[in-house]
Coordinates of all heavy atoms in Angstrom, one line a residue:
M55 N 0.8 -1.2 0.0 CA 0.0 0.0 0.0 C 0.9 1.2 0.0 O 1.8 1.3 0.8 CB -0.9 0.0 1.2 CG -1.7 1.2 1.3 SD -3.0 0.9 2.5 CE -3.2 2.5 3.2
D56 N 0.5 2.2 -0.8 CA 1.3 3.4 -0.9 C 0.7 4.5 0.0 O -0.4 4.9 -0.3 CB 1.4 3.9 -2.4 CG 2.2 5.1 -2.6 OD1 3.0 5.4 -1.7 OD2 2.0 5.8 -3.6
M57 N 1.5 4.8 1.0 CA 1.0 5.8 1.9 C 1.5 7.2 1.6 O 1.1 8.2 2.3 CB 1.5 5.5 3.3 CG 1.0 4.1 3.8 SD -0.8 4.1 4.0 CE -1.1 5.2 5.3
F58 N 2.3 7.4 0.6 CA 2.9 8.7 0.3 C 2.5 9.3 -1.0 O 3.3 10.1 -1.6 CB 4.4 8.6 0.5 CG 4.8 8.1 1.8 CD1 5.2 6.8 2.0 CD2 4.8 9.0 2.9 CE1 5.5 6.3 3.3 CE2 5.1 8.5 4.2 CZ 5.5 7.2 4.4
G59 N 1.3 9.0 -1.5 CA 0.8 9.8 -2.6 C 1.1 9.3 -4.0 O 0.8 10.1 -4.9
K60 N 1.7 8.2 -4.2 CA 2.0 7.7 -5.5 C 0.8 7.1 -6.2 O 0.8 6.9 -7.4 CB 3.2 6.7 -5.5 CG 4.5 7.4 -5.0 CD 5.6 6.4 -5.0 CE 6.8 7.0 -4.4 NZ 7.9 6.1 -4.1
V61 N -0.1 6.6 -5.4 CA -1.4 6.0 -5.9 C -2.5 7.0 -5.8 O -2.7 7.5 -4.7 CB -1.7 4.7 -5.2 CG1 -3.0 4.1 -5.6 CG2 -0.6 3.7 -5.3
P62 N -3.2 7.3 -6.9 CA -4.3 8.3 -6.7 C -5.4 7.7 -5.8 O -5.7 6.5 -5.8 CB -4.8 8.4 -8.2 CG -4.3 7.3 -8.9 CD -3.1 6.8 -8.2
L63 N -6.0 8.6 -5.1 CA -7.1 8.2 -4.1 C -8.4 8.7 -4.7 O -8.5 9.6 -5.5 CB -6.8 8.9 -2.8 CG -5.5 8.5 -2.1 CD1 -5.3 9.3 -0.8 CD2 -5.4 7.0 -1.8
V64 N -9.4 8.0 -4.2 CA -10.8 8.4 -4.5 C -11.5 8.8 -3.2 O -11.1 8.4 -2.2 CB -11.6 7.3 -5.2 CG1 -11.0 7.0 -6.6 CG2 -11.7 6.1 -4.3
E65 N -12.4 9.7 -3.3 CA -13.1 10.2 -2.2 C -14.4 9.5 -2.0 O -15.2 9.4 -3.0 CB -13.3 11.7 -2.3 CG -13.8 12.4 -1.0 CD -13.8 13.9 -1.1 OE1 -13.0 14.5 -1.8 OE2 -14.7 14.5 -0.5
I66 N -14.7 9.0 -0.8 CA -15.9 8.4 -0.5 C -16.5 8.9 0.8 O -15.7 9.3 1.7 CB -15.8 6.9 -0.5 CG1 -14.9 6.4 0.7 CG2 -15.4 6.2 -1.8 CD1 -14.9 5.0 1.0
P67 N -17.8 9.1 0.9 CA -18.3 9.5 2.2 C -18.2 8.4 3.2 O -18.5 7.2 2.8 CB -19.7 9.9 1.9 CG -20.1 9.2 0.7 CD -18.8 8.9 -0.1
V68 N -17.8 8.7 4.4 CA -17.7 7.7 5.4 C -18.5 8.2 6.6 O -18.3 9.3 7.0 CB -16.2 7.4 5.8 CG1 -16.1 6.5 7.0 CG2 -15.4 6.9 4.7
H69 N -19.3 7.3 7.1 CA -20.1 7.7 8.3 C -19.7 6.9 9.5 O -19.6 5.7 9.4 CB -21.6 7.4 8.0 CG -22.1 8.2 6.8 ND1 -22.6 9.5 7.0 CD2 -22.2 7.9 5.5 CE1 -23.0 9.9 5.8 NE2 -22.8 9.0 4.9
I70 N -19.3 7.6 10.5 CA -19.0 7.0 11.8 C -19.8 7.7 12.9 O -20.3 8.8 12.7 CB -17.4 7.1 12.0 CG1 -17.0 8.5 12.1 CG2 -16.7 6.3 11.0 CD1 -15.5 8.7 12.5
T71 N -19.8 7.1 14.0 CA -20.6 7.6 15.1 C -19.8 8.8 15.7 O -18.5 8.8 15.6 CB -20.9 6.6 16.2 OG1 -19.6 6.1 16.7 CG2 -21.7 5.4 15.6
P72 N -20.4 9.7 16.4 CA -19.7 10.8 17.1 C -18.6 10.3 18.1 O -17.6 10.9 18.1 CB -20.8 11.5 17.8 CG -22.1 11.3 17.0 CD -21.9 9.8 16.5
D73 N -18.9 9.2 18.8 CA -17.9 8.7 19.7 C -16.7 8.1 19.0 O -15.6 8.2 19.5 CB -18.5 7.7 20.8 CG -19.1 6.5 20.1 OD1 -19.7 6.6 19.0 OD2 -19.0 5.4 20.8
Q74 N -16.9 7.5 17.9 CA -15.8 7.0 17.1 C -15.0 8.2 16.5 O -13.7 8.1 16.5 CB -16.3 6.2 15.9 CG -16.9 4.9 16.3 CD -17.7 4.2 15.2 OE1 -18.2 4.8 14.3 NE2 -17.7 2.8 15.3
K75 N -15.6 9.3 16.1 CA -14.9 10.4 15.6 C -14.1 11.0 16.8 O -12.9 11.4 16.6 CB -15.9 11.5 15.1 CG -15.2 12.7 14.5 CD -16.2 13.6 13.9 CE -15.6 14.8 13.2 NZ -15.1 15.8 14.1
R76 N -14.7 11.2 18.0 CA -13.9 11.7 19.1 C -12.7 10.8 19.4 O -11.6 11.3 19.7 CB -14.8 11.8 20.3 CG -15.7 13.0 20.3 CD -16.4 13.2 21.6 NE -17.2 12.1 22.1 CZ -18.5 11.9 21.7 NH1 -19.1 12.7 20.8 NH2 -19.2 10.8 22.2
W77 N -12.9 9.5 19.4 CA -11.8 8.5 19.7 C -10.7 8.7 18.7 O -9.5 8.8 19.0 CB -12.3 7.1 19.6 CG -11.3 6.1 19.9 CD1 -10.8 5.7 21.2 CD2 -10.5 5.4 19.0 NE1 -9.8 4.8 21.0 CE2 -9.6 4.6 19.7 CE3 -10.4 5.4 17.6 CZ2 -8.7 3.7 19.1 CZ3 -9.5 4.5 17.0 CH2 -8.6 3.7 17.7
L78 N -11.0 8.8 17.4 CA -10.0 9.0 16.3 C -9.2 10.3 16.6 O -8.0 10.3 16.5 CB -10.6 8.9 14.9 CG -11.0 7.6 14.3 CD1 -11.8 7.8 13.1 CD2 -9.7 6.8 14.0
E79 N -9.9 11.3 16.8 CA -9.3 12.6 17.0 C -8.4 12.6 18.3 O -7.3 13.1 18.3 CB -10.3 13.7 17.2 CG -11.0 14.0 15.8 CD -12.2 15.0 15.9 OE1 -12.7 15.2 17.0 OE2 -12.6 15.5 14.9
K80 N -8.9 11.9 19.3 CA -8.1 11.8 20.5 C -6.8 11.0 20.3 O -5.7 11.4 20.7 CB -8.9 11.1 21.6 CG -8.1 10.9 22.9 CD -9.0 10.1 23.9 CE -8.2 9.7 25.1 NZ -8.9 8.9 26.0
M81 N -6.9 9.9 19.5 CA -5.7 9.1 19.2 C -4.7 9.9 18.4 O -3.5 9.8 18.6 CB -6.1 7.8 18.4 CG -6.9 6.8 19.2 SD -6.1 6.2 20.6 CE -6.8 7.1 21.9
V82 N -5.2 10.8 17.5 CA -4.3 11.6 16.7 C -3.6 12.6 17.6 O -2.4 12.8 17.6 CB -5.0 12.3 15.5 CG1 -4.1 13.3 14.8 CG2 -5.5 11.3 14.5
E83 N -4.4 13.3 18.4 CA -3.8 14.3 19.3 C -2.8 13.7 20.3 O -1.8 14.4 20.6 CB -5.0 15.0 20.1 CG -5.8 15.9 19.2 CD -7.1 16.3 19.9 OE1 -7.4 15.9 21.1 OE2 -8.0 16.9 19.2
E84 N -3.0 12.5 20.7 CA -2.1 11.9 21.7 C -0.9 11.2 21.0 O -0.1 10.6 21.6 CB -2.9 10.8 22.5 CG -3.9 11.4 23.5 CD -4.6 10.4 24.3 OE1 -4.4 9.2 24.1 OE2 -5.5 10.8 25.1
G85 N -0.9 11.2 19.7 CA 0.2 10.6 18.9 C 0.1 9.1 18.9 O 1.1 8.5 18.6
R86 N -1.0 8.6 19.1 CA -1.2 7.1 19.1 C -1.4 6.5 17.7 O -1.4 5.3 17.5 CB -2.3 6.7 20.0 CG -1.9 7.0 21.5 CD -2.9 6.5 22.4 NE -2.6 6.9 23.8 CZ -3.0 6.2 24.8 NH1 -3.7 5.1 24.7 NH2 -2.7 6.6 26.0
I87 N -1.7 7.4 16.7 CA -1.8 7.0 15.3 C -0.6 7.5 14.7 O -0.3 8.8 14.7 CB -3.1 7.5 14.7 CG1 -4.3 6.8 15.3 CG2 -3.0 7.1 13.2 CD1 -5.6 7.3 14.8
A88 N 0.3 6.7 14.1 CA 1.5 7.1 13.6 C 1.4 8.1 12.4 O 0.5 7.9 11.6 CB 2.3 5.9 13.1
I89 N 2.3 9.0 12.4 CA 2.4 10.0 11.3 C 3.7 9.7 10.6 O 4.7 9.4 11.2 CB 2.4 11.4 11.9 CG1 1.1 11.8 12.6 CG2 2.7 12.4 10.7 CD1 1.1 13.1 13.3
P90 N 3.7 9.7 9.2 CA 4.9 9.4 8.5 C 6.1 10.2 9.0 O 5.8 11.4 9.3 CB 4.5 9.6 7.1 CG 3.1 9.7 7.0 CD 2.6 10.1 8.4
P91 N 7.3 9.7 8.9 CA 8.4 10.5 9.3 C 8.6 11.7 8.5 O 8.3 11.8 7.3 CB 9.6 9.5 9.2 CG 9.1 8.3 8.4 CD 7.6 8.4 8.4
G92 N 9.1 12.7 9.1 CA 9.6 13.9 8.4 C 8.5 15.0 8.3 O 8.7 15.9 7.5
G93 N 7.4 14.9 9.0 CA 6.5 16.0 8.8 C 5.3 15.9 9.7 O 5.1 14.9 10.5
T94 N 4.4 16.8 9.6 CA 3.1 16.8 10.3 C 2.0 16.9 9.3 O 2.2 17.4 8.2 CB 3.0 18.0 11.3 OG1 3.1 19.2 10.5 CG2 4.1 18.0 12.3
L95 N 0.9 16.3 9.7 CA -0.2 16.3 8.8 C -1.5 16.8 9.5 O -1.5 16.8 10.7 CB -0.5 14.9 8.3 CG 0.5 14.2 7.4 CD1 0.2 12.7 7.2 CD2 0.7 14.9 6.1
E96 N -2.4 17.2 8.7 CA -3.7 17.6 9.3 C -4.4 16.4 10.0 O -4.2 15.3 9.5 CB -4.6 18.2 8.3 CG -4.2 19.5 7.7 CD -5.2 20.0 6.6 OE1 -6.3 19.4 6.5 OE2 -4.8 20.8 5.8
K97 N -5.2 16.6 11.0 CA -5.9 15.5 11.7 C -6.6 14.7 10.7 O -6.6 13.4 10.8 CB -6.8 16.1 12.7 CG -7.4 15.1 13.7 CD -8.3 15.7 14.7 CE -7.6 16.8 15.5 NZ -8.5 17.4 16.5
G98 N -7.4 15.3 9.8 CA -8.1 14.5 8.8 C -7.3 13.6 7.9 O -7.7 12.5 7.6
S99 N -6.1 14.1 7.6 CA -5.2 13.3 6.7 C -4.7 12.1 7.5 O -4.6 11.0 6.9 CB -4.0 14.1 6.3 OG -4.5 15.1 5.4
V100 N -4.4 12.3 8.8 CA -3.9 11.1 9.6 C -5.0 10.1 9.8 O -4.8 8.9 9.6 CB -3.4 11.6 11.0 CG1 -3.0 10.5 11.9 CG2 -2.2 12.6 10.8
I101 N -6.2 10.6 10.0 CA -7.4 9.7 10.1 C -7.6 8.9 8.8 O -7.8 7.7 8.8 CB -8.6 10.4 10.6 CG1 -8.4 10.9 12.1 CG2 -9.9 9.6 10.5 CD1 -9.5 11.8 12.6
S102 N -7.5 9.6 7.7 CA -7.7 9.0 6.4 C -6.7 7.9 6.2 O -7.0 6.8 5.7 CB -7.6 10.0 5.3 OG -7.6 9.4 4.0
M103 N -5.4 8.2 6.5 CA -4.3 7.2 6.4 C -4.6 6.0 7.3 O -4.4 4.8 6.9 CB -3.0 7.8 6.7 CG -2.5 8.8 5.7 SD -1.0 9.6 6.2 CE 0.1 8.3 6.4
F104 N -5.1 6.2 8.5 CA -5.4 5.2 9.5 C -6.5 4.2 8.9 O -6.3 3.0 8.9 CB -5.8 5.8 10.8 CG -6.2 4.8 11.8 CD1 -5.2 4.0 12.5 CD2 -7.5 4.6 12.2 CE1 -5.6 3.1 13.5 CE2 -7.9 3.7 13.2 CZ -6.9 3.0 13.8
I105 N -7.5 4.8 8.4 CA -8.6 4.0 7.8 C -8.2 3.3 6.6 O -8.5 2.1 6.4 CB -9.8 5.0 7.5 CG1 -10.4 5.5 8.8 CG2 -10.9 4.2 6.6 CD1 -11.5 6.5 8.7
R106 N -7.3 3.9 5.7 CA -6.8 3.2 4.6 C -5.9 2.0 5.0 O -6.0 0.9 4.4 CB -6.0 4.1 3.7 CG -6.9 5.1 2.9 CD -6.2 5.8 1.8 NE -4.9 6.2 2.0 CZ -4.5 7.5 2.3 NH1 -5.4 8.4 2.6 NH2 -3.2 7.8 2.5
M107 N -5.2 2.2 6.0 CA -4.3 1.1 6.5 C -5.2 -0.1 7.1 O -4.9 -1.2 6.9 CB -3.4 1.5 7.6 CG -2.4 0.5 8.1 SD -1.4 -0.3 6.8 CE -0.3 1.0 6.4
L108 N -6.3 0.3 7.8 CA -7.2 -0.8 8.3 C -7.8 -1.6 7.1 O -7.9 -2.8 7.1 CB -8.3 -0.1 9.1 CG -8.0 0.4 10.4 CD1 -9.2 1.1 11.1 CD2 -7.5 -0.7 11.4
I109 N -8.2 -0.9 6.0 CA -8.7 -1.5 4.9 C -7.7 -2.4 4.2 O -7.9 -3.5 3.8 CB -9.3 -0.5 3.9 CG1 -10.6 0.2 4.5 CG2 -9.7 -1.1 2.5 CD1 -11.1 1.4 3.7
H110 N -6.5 -1.8 4.1 CA -5.4 -2.6 3.5 C -5.1 -3.9 4.2 O -5.0 -5.0 3.7 CB -4.1 -1.7 3.4 CG -2.9 -2.4 3.0 ND1 -2.7 -2.7 1.7 CD2 -1.8 -2.9 3.7 CE1 -1.5 -3.4 1.5 NE2 -1.0 -3.5 2.7
N111 N -5.1 -3.8 5.6 CA -4.8 -5.0 6.4 C -5.9 -6.0 6.2 O -5.7 -7.2 6.2 CB -4.6 -4.6 7.9 CG -3.3 -3.8 8.1 OD1 -2.4 -3.8 7.3 ND2 -3.3 -3.2 9.3
A112 N -7.2 -5.5 6.2 CA -8.3 -6.4 6.0 C -8.2 -7.1 4.6 O -8.5 -8.3 4.5 CB -9.6 -5.7 6.1
M113 N -7.8 -6.4 3.6 CA -7.7 -7.0 2.3 C -6.6 -8.1 2.3 O -6.7 -9.1 1.7 CB -7.4 -5.9 1.2 CG -8.5 -5.0 1.0 SD -8.1 -3.5 0.0 CE -7.6 -4.2 -1.5
E114 N -5.4 -7.8 2.9 CA -4.3 -8.7 3.0 C -4.8 -10.0 3.7 O -4.5 -11.1 3.4 CB -3.1 -8.1 3.7 CG -2.3 -7.3 2.8 CD -1.0 -6.8 3.4 OE1 -0.9 -6.9 4.7 OE2 -0.1 -6.5 2.7
E115 N -5.5 -9.8 4.8 CA -6.0 -10.9 5.6 C -7.0 -11.8 4.8 O -6.9 -13.0 4.8 CB -6.7 -10.4 6.9 CG -7.2 -11.6 7.8 CD -6.2 -12.5 8.3 OE1 -5.0 -12.2 8.3 OE2 -6.6 -13.7 8.7
Q116 N -7.8 -11.1 4.0 CA -8.8 -11.9 3.2 C -8.0 -12.7 2.1 O -8.3 -13.8 1.9 CB -9.7 -10.9 2.5 CG -10.8 -11.6 1.7 CD -11.7 -10.6 1.0 OE1 -11.3 -9.5 0.6 NE2 -13.0 -10.9 0.9
Q117 N -7.0 -12.1 1.6 CA -6.2 -12.9 0.6 C -5.5 -14.0 1.2 O -5.4 -15.1 0.7 CB -5.1 -11.9 -0.1 CG -5.8 -10.9 -1.0 CD -4.7 -9.9 -1.5 OE1 -3.6 -9.8 -1.0 NE2 -5.2 -9.1 -2.4
R118 N -5.0 -13.8 2.5 CA -4.3 -14.9 3.2 C -5.3 -16.0 3.5 O -4.9 -17.2 3.3 CB -3.7 -14.4 4.5 CG -2.8 -15.3 5.2 CD -2.3 -14.8 6.5 NE -3.3 -14.7 7.5 CZ -3.7 -15.7 8.3 NH1 -3.2 -16.9 8.1 NH2 -4.6 -15.5 9.2
Q119 N -6.5 -15.7 3.9 CA -7.5 -16.7 4.2 C -7.9 -17.5 2.9 O -8.0 -18.7 3.0 CB -8.7 -16.0 4.8 CG -8.5 -15.5 6.2 CD -8.3 -16.6 7.2 OE1 -8.8 -17.7 7.1 NE2 -7.6 -16.3 8.3
A120 N -8.0 -16.8 1.8 CA -8.4 -17.4 0.6 C -7.2 -18.4 0.1 O -7.5 -19.5 -0.3 CB -8.6 -16.4 -0.5
A121 N -6.0 -18.0 0.3 CA -4.9 -18.8 0.0 C -4.8 -20.1 0.8 O -4.6 -21.2 0.4 CB -3.6 -18.1 0.1
M122 N -5.1 -19.9 2.1 CA -5.2 -21.1 3.0 C -6.3 -22.0 2.7 O -6.1 -23.2 2.7 CB -5.3 -20.6 4.5 CG -4.1 -19.9 5.0 SD -4.3 -19.2 6.7 CE -4.7 -20.7 7.6
E123 N -7.5 -21.4 2.3 CA -8.6 -22.3 1.9 C -8.3 -23.0 0.6 O -8.6 -24.2 0.5 CB -9.9 -21.4 1.8 CG -10.4 -20.9 3.1 CD -11.6 -20.0 2.9 OE1 -12.1 -19.8 1.8 OE2 -12.0 -19.4 3.9
A124 N -7.6 -22.4 -0.3 CA -7.3 -23.0 -1.6 C -6.3 -24.2 -1.3 O -6.4 -25.2 -1.9 CB -6.7 -22.0 -2.6
E125 N -5.3 -23.9 -0.4 CA -4.4 -24.9 0.0 C -5.0 -26.1 0.6 O -4.7 -27.3 0.4 CB -3.3 -24.3 0.9 CG -2.1 -25.2 1.2 CD -1.1 -24.5 2.1 OE1 -0.5 -23.5 1.6 OE2 -1.0 -24.9 3.2
D126 N -6.0 -25.9 1.5 CA -6.8 -26.9 2.2 C -7.5 -27.8 1.1 O -7.6 -29.0 1.2 CB -7.7 -26.4 3.2 CG -7.0 -25.9 4.4 OD1 -5.8 -26.2 4.6 OD2 -7.6 -25.1 5.2
D127 N -8.1 -27.0 0.1 CA -8.9 -27.7 -0.9 C -8.0 -28.7 -1.7 O -8.3 -29.8 -2.1 CB -9.6 -26.7 -1.8 CG -10.8 -26.0 -1.1 OD1 -11.2 -26.5 -0.1 OD2 -11.2 -25.0 -1.7
E128 N -6.8 -28.2 -2.0 CA -5.8 -29.0 -2.7 C -5.4 -30.2 -1.9 O -5.2 -31.3 -2.5 CB -4.6 -28.2 -3.1 CG -4.8 -27.2 -4.2 CD -3.6 -26.3 -4.4 OE1 -2.5 -26.5 -3.9 OE2 -3.8 -25.3 -5.2
D129 N -5.2 -30.1 -0.6 CA -4.8 -31.2 0.2 C -5.9 -32.3 0.3 O -5.6 -33.4 0.5 CB -4.5 -30.7 1.6 CG -3.2 -29.9 1.7 OD1 -2.4 -30.0 0.7 OD2 -3.0 -29.2 2.7
E130 N -7.2 -31.8 0.2 CA -8.3 -32.8 0.3 C -8.5 -33.6 -1.0 O -9.0 -34.7 -0.9 CB -9.6 -32.0 0.6 CG -9.6 -31.4 2.0 CD -10.9 -30.6 2.3 OE1 -11.7 -30.5 1.3 OE2 -11.0 -30.0 3.4
E131 N -8.0 -33.1 -2.1 CA -8.1 -33.8 -3.4 C -7.1 -34.9 -3.5 O -6.3 -35.3 -3.1 CB -8.0 -32.8 -4.5 CG -9.2 -31.9 -4.5 CD -9.0 -30.8 -5.6 OE1 -8.1 -30.8 -6.4 OE2 -10.0 -30.0 -5.7

């Protein structure tokens, strides 16, 4: 996953609850969500990167699970 702008992004509306928004903002303010080295970013950009990383990790896990299932299917044959 490219975190530094080499891959064009698309904008989608994301709806989260007010308490989730407060939690994300708190995590950014406390520095618990990593910011890339060498700079500072707006709070919204950090939250966007965090959400993209969550999606990226979920996609990788889904691919890993699919590969394991395919391997299991091959073993059964």
